[in-house]
């Protein structure tokens, strides 16, 4: 036993010793293996302004992306001593590049500028990797394009195949001109004179005279050198011009009514340039592409083997505010393809929302105004029928002239000339017919109010649907335009594939055909949007082409949805959905103006029937009184002969009358039969209307249930289609798939986008139709009315033994 104990003790001693030795042998943190150090020199053209590429060059965006991508693999350094500015001198930049190539402390060179990139492209030998990402025109600058690689050891660059000829042609398609001013940075033609020569050749081929105007950091030379015959201006990148000077130049061109075109892209159009064919520069994407090239070189790939193309595509952008200011209007063909900035004039004060449209329609709709007049006329009709039951009092006067013989024989009571005043009083003590007329007219007034409510609901529905139709057509137009832009971008990919030999000319033709079809779709979408706007203006009784701005109505619109989840909890399963439909039917049968109007007519007809029955035994009872006062007399017969009786000048009578028609030729029986059949007709109409209203309510709710589920499904389909399109498009750009697969993916994405947009608006339309079917739009009324509706809904579910407050439901729209 002791022997075993000694062995265990020795074993643990040995293990502790080994662990201690291993710990001792481990390297200290300071002795850990260090990352490979890479020193990258950066050659700048000079101090850049805050415009275009100058923005992300000044921000050091490319350097940040390089550090982020290589973090943990390499110790990347950008020594200050090798951060060189060339002072916008081609010779100085070339000397600096030579010095950096000879500098042993530099492992890689990055040329961040057009002049530095051009200096690199003029060389054929490099002692170390050089990345030159800012190529203006690869062919003019001597770069190879045949293989899609630089083919020069240790050199890689990036080119987008942008062409001045294509930009010039696009400018001419928008607006014709003959005298073009070319505003350029003074350093470019000095360093790359062949660029200006190419531009002039392209201009001459189109019959255009070009006048180059060179600027640096001030715009003053432009106004001094701008020829008076200039009718258009082309702006190339102005690397040294500050933003304030650029804005001053833009305003000056607008004041002179000159259309301008930017080679840089959308960012300058946003500042007021008239148009551009270049899309917005994706600075992050560009910087990451440069960083990726650096990383691949560091991992062992040869610079000359890296791909040199970077696709930017074409995206025609037009500033419509500038177009209006200089009174230049592109054709419909151009507008269908262009991305329009400031499309709606800022001066449009008329801004519409769903709520404002409904309210305005209620105030201006002529059908509703006519219904209001009908109700007002009905008030008078009720008062008129009631007047037969009230006292009838009348007064009058008369003058009599009789012959003298009769006057003498009147014994002083009938003078030759006399003036009288009369008065009469009549009160209908009982007349069932009069009471029937009054009661029927009251019910008719209730029917008129119900008819007016029906018109109001129809107007609300019509206005809301017209507004949603405008929003829907605007969305569809936007989707069609985006698809057209994508098609244009795919055409650019096809052209690049053709240039590098990866595709034949037929692909280019196919995409050009797709662009033509896309333009047709955009034109049709624009026409539908314009028709919807005209229809909305007609609904609001505005000039049919009066412009307006819209406010989007979506699933989170508080006007339409007080709380989406609060509504959805009542329709989240078949049982709740059934109870919800029953509740809405009950609400609809209580609120429907069609039923209110029929019920009023039935009540009126019941009173008519009762009157026809009472006609067999009920008499009319009246009280009448007349008074006659002789006010003046003259001529023969004024005095009463002796012994004759004289009459007082005032005479009166009081009469109680009772009348009852014993026989009217069978009219009583006929009236009773007619009244009974009319009553039965109205009762049948009411039963039929109840069935139609219930069917309408249940059908619209089923439609809304389907469309609400479609929203999420269509969004999922749209997302999947978009992801598929990105993958296929990337594969197409690399030559991995053919054009057919990309076309299928694009069409699938377009269809899914349209379905997703339509699903939202179809659901909103279904919601409007539900409330019209029920006969109430609580979200257009006060918040108290909306809250009351929710309370009634919750109470109804409680009556059915369902407690919805304990249910937690996820919205189908998220």
């Amino acid at each position: 036993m002791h022997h075993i104990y000694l062995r265990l003790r020795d074993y643990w001693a040995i293990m502790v010793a080994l662990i201690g030795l291993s710990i001792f042998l481990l390297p200290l943190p300071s002795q850990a293996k260090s990352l490979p150090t890479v020193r990258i020199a950066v050659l700048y053209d000079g101090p850049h302004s805050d415009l275009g590429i100058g923005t992300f060059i000044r921000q050091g965006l490319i350097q940040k992306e390089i550090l982020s991508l290589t973090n943990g693999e390499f110790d990347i350094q950008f020594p200050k001593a090798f951060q060189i500015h060339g002072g916008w001198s081609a010779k100085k930049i070339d000397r600096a590049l030579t010095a950096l190539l000879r500098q042993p402390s530099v492992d890689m060179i990055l040329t961040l500028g057009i002049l530095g990139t051009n200096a690199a492209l003029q060389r054929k030998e490099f002692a170390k990797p050089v990345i030159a990402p800012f190529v203006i025109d690869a062919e003019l600058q001597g770069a190879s394009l045949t293989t899609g690689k630089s083919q020069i050891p240790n050199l890689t660059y990036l080119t987008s195949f942008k062409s001045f000829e294509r930009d010039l042609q696009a400018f001419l398609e928008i607006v014709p001109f003959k005298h073009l001013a070319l505003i350029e940075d003074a350093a470019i033609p000095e360093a790359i004179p062949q660029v200006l020569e190419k531009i002039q050749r392209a201009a001459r081929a189109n019959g255009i005279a070009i006048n180059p105007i060179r600027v640096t950091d001030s715009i003053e030379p432009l106004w001094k050198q701008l020829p008076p015959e200039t009718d258009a201006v082309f702006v190339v990148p102005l690397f040294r011009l500050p933003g304030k000077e650029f804005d001053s130049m833009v305003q000056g061109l607008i004041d002179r009514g000159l259309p301008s075109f930017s080679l840089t892209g959308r960012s300058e159009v946003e500042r007021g340039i008239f148009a551009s064919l270049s899309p917005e520069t994706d600075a992050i994407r560009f910087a990451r592409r440069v960083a990726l090239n650096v990383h691949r070189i560091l991992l062992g790939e040869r610079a000359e083997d890296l791909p040199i193309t970077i696709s930017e595509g074409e995206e025609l952008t037009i500033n419509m505010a500038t177009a209006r200011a200089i009174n230049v209007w592109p054709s419909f063909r151009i507008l269908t393809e262009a991305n329009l900035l400031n499309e709606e004039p800022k001066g449009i004060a008329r801004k519409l929302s769903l709520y404002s449209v409904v309210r305005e329609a209620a105030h201006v709709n002529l059908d509703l105004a006519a219904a209001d007049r009908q109700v007002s006329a009905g008030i008078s009709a009720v008062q008129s029928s009631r007047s037969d039951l009230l006292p009838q009092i009348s007064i009058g006067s008369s003058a009599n002239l009789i012959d003298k013989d009769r006057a003498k024989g009147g014994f002083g009571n009938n003078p030759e000339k006399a003036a009288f005043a009369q008065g009469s009083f009549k009160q209908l003590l009982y007349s069932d017919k009069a009471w029937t007329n009054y009661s029927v007219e009251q019910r008719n007034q209730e029917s008129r109010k119900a008819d007016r409510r029906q018109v109001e609901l129809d107007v609300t529905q019509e206005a809301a649907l017209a507004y949603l139709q405008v929003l829907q057509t605007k969305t569809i137009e936007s989707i069609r335009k985006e698809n057209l832009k994508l098609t244009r971008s795919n055409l650019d990919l096809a052209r690049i594939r053709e240039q590098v030999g990866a595709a034949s000319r037929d692909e280019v033709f196919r995409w050009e055909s797709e662009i033509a079809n896309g333009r047709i779709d955009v034109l049709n979408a624009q026409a539908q949007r314009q028709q919807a706007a005209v229809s909305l203006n007609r609904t609001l009784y505005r000039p049919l082409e009066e412009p307006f701005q819209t406010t989007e109505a979506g699933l989170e619109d508080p006007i339409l949805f007080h709380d989406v989840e609060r509504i959805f909890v009542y329709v989240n399963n078949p049982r709740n959905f059934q109870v919800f439909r029953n509740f809405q039917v009950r609400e609809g049968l209580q609120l429907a103006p069609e039923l209110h109007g029929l019920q009023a007519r039935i009540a009126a007809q019941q009173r008519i029937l009762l009157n026809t029955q009472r006609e067999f035994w009920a008499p009319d009872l009246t009280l009448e009184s007349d008074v006659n006062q002789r006010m003046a007399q003259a001529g023969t017969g004024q005095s009463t002969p002796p012994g004759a009786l004289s009459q007082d000048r005032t005479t009166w009578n009081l009469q109680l009358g009772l009348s009852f028609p014993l026989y009217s030729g069978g009219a009583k029986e006929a009236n009773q039969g007619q009244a009974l059949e009319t009553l039965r007709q109205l009762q049948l109409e009411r039963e039929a209307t109840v069935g139609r209203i219930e069917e309408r309510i249940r059908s619209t709710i089923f439609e809304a249930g389907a469309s609400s589920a479609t929203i999420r499904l269509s969004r999922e389909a749209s997302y999947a289609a978009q992801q598929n399109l990105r993958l296929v498009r990337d594969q197409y750009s690399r030559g991995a798939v053919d054009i057919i697969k990309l076309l299928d993916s694009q069409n699938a994405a377009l269809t899914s986008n349209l379905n997703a947009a339509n699903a939202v608006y179809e659901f909103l339309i279904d919601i409007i139709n539900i409330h019209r079917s029920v006969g109430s739009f609580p979200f257009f009324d006060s918040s108290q009315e909306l809250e009351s509706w929710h309370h009634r809904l919750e109470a109804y579910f409680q009556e059915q033994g369902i407690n919805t407050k304990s249910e937690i439901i996820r919205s189908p729209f998220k």
Side-chain angles (χ1 to χ4, degrees), residues 427-628:
Q427 173 63 55
L428 190 62
L429 298 180
Y430 178 78
S431 173
D432 190 71
K433 185 174 183 179
W435 279 103
T436 297
N437 290 338
Y438 178 48
S439 178
V440 167
E441 203 57 55
Q442 286 180 312
R443 298 298 178 266
N444 288 342
Q445 182 65 0
E446 293 176 7
S447 179
R448 294 185 194 100
K449 290 180 179 179
D451 291 342
R452 191 261 179 206
R453 175 59 178 165
Q454 185 174 348
V455 173
E456 181 181 19
L457 291 173
D458 290 340
V459 168
T460 300
Q461 181 188 31
E462 181 185 11
L465 294 183
Y467 184 75
L468 291 177
Q469 186 70 19
V470 170
L471 297 183
Q472 184 176 18
T473 53
K474 285 182 65 176
T475 302
I476 292 175
E477 179 186 3
S478 176
I479 292 173
R480 291 291 185 184
K481 284 184 175 181
E482 288 299 322
N483 183 65
L484 183 58
K485 291 179 188 177
L486 179 60
T487 305
R488 170 64 71 181
S489 180
N490 289 338
L491 173 61
D492 295 333
L493 285 178
R495 285 172 173 163
I496 292 175
R497 282 161 54 91
E498 182 192 13
Q499 289 173 347
V500 299
S504 58
R505 187 66 178 167
D506 64 311
E507 286 195 13
V508 175
F509 291 145
R510 178 61 186 273
W511 286 116
E512 289 175 346
S513 173
E514 289 295 317
I515 286 177
N517 292 330
R519 284 178 172 175
I520 294 173
D521 292 336
V522 170
L523 284 172
N524 290 334
Q526 285 180 337
Q528 292 172 358
R529 188 254 305 165
Q530 292 162 348
Q531 291 169 1
V534 168
S535 178
L536 179 58
N537 277 330
R538 181 200 58 77
T539 302
L540 300 178
Y541 292 90
R542 293 272 195 163
L544 295 184
E545 295 193 23
E546 182 179 352
F548 55 82
Q549 298 182 20
T550 57
T551 302
E552 283 294 326
L555 297 176
E556 293 76 23
D557 193 329
I559 293 178
L560 284 175
F561 302 99
H562 182 60
D563 188 339
V564 175
E565 287 78 9
R566 190 177 179 185
I567 295 175
F568 184 62
V569 73
Y570 300 104
V571 296
N572 67 314
N573 59 56
R575 180 201 60 180
N576 286 12
F577 195 29
Q578 174 69 47
V579 174
F580 179 77
R581 294 196 301 273
N582 294 340
F583 167 77
Q584 289 289 64
V585 168
R586 189 183 74 169
E587 287 277 300
L589 296 181
Q590 291 175 351
L591 298 173
E594 298 92 335
L595 291 181
H596 287 179
L598 278 171
Q599 192 59 47
R601 292 169 61 191
I602 289 173
Q605 192 60 34
Q606 288 172 335
R607 187 64 179 87
I608 293 173
L609 177 61
L610 180 61
N611 174 247
T612 61
Q613 295 169 346
R614 289 178 176 176
E615 280 185 343
F616 288 97
W617 57 266
D620 289 345
L621 183 62
T622 59
L623 176 65
E624 297 182 67
S625 176
D626 295 309
V627 62
N628 194 327

Side-chain angles (χ1 to χ4, degrees), residues 785-804:
E785 177 61 29
L786 181 61
E787 205 57 39
S788 174
W789 181 84
H790 278 292
H791 286 320
R792 294 196 304 273
L793 177 61
E794 180 62 32
Y796 186 82
F797 269 74
Q798 294 289 343
E799 292 172 7
Q800 308 302 314
I802 301 175
N803 182 14
T804 59

